[in-house]
Amino acid sequence: MKKNKEVKLELSDQMFNLIQKARESDGAKSGFGINPSQDQFINGVIYYWVRKNAQELEDLAKKVPEVLEHKSLKITK
């Protein structure tokens, strides 16, 4: 999968630490099936948000390579 787009975030140290702790949490391992990388975690959180808050986009989201990768994480582990 070719990735040529980049998203940059400006975060406080506290928010960065919160994301890191969330990625390393038992909930993340349970939800993802693995301890996700930073990219996997953020992609998964965005997909979760779409499913819960913008359900009209779910069919479009299901065709996104990052979503397909996210869905395969739990299956392959």
Side-chain angles (χ1 to χ4, degrees), residues 2 5 8 14-15 19 22-23 27 33-34 36 40 42 46 48 52-53 55 59 61 65-66 70-71 73:
K2 183 177 180 185
K5 304 292 183 206
K8 293 184 180 186
Q14 294 91 344
M15 181 56 118
I19 292 169
R23 277 192 330 108
I34 62 168
Q40 290 168 330
I42 291 171
I46 292 168
Y48 177 84
K52 298 298 178 186
N53 299 292
Q55 293 177 354
D59 284 340
E66 291 83 356
H70 169 74
K71 292 172 111 181
L73 291 176

Side-chain angles (χ1 to χ4, degrees), residues 10-41:
E10 290 187 25
L11 303 171
S12 66
D13 289 342
Q14 294 91 344
M15 181 56 118
F16 181 80
N17 289 335
L18 178 62
I19 292 169
Q20 291 302 100
K21 289 184 185 303
R23 277 192 330 108
E24 297 164 359
S25 70
D26 291 339
K29 185 167 185 173
S30 173
F32 285 81
I34 62 168
N35 284 340
S37 69
Q38 194 170 28
D39 288 345
Q40 290 168 330
F41 182 78

Side-chain angles (χ1 to χ4, degrees), residues 38-73:
Q38 194 170 28
D39 288 345
Q40 290 168 330
F41 182 78
I42 291 171
N43 288 335
V45 169
I46 292 168
Y47 178 55
Y48 177 84
W49 187 92
V50 167
R51 284 192 349 251
K52 298 298 178 186
N53 299 292
Q55 293 177 354
E56 69 276 10
L57 299 177
E58 193 168 358
D59 284 340
L60 175 65
K62 288 179 181 177
K63 299 173 183 147
V64 173
E66 291 83 356
V67 171
L68 296 172
E69 176 188 1
H70 169 74
K71 292 172 111 181
S72 74
L73 291 176

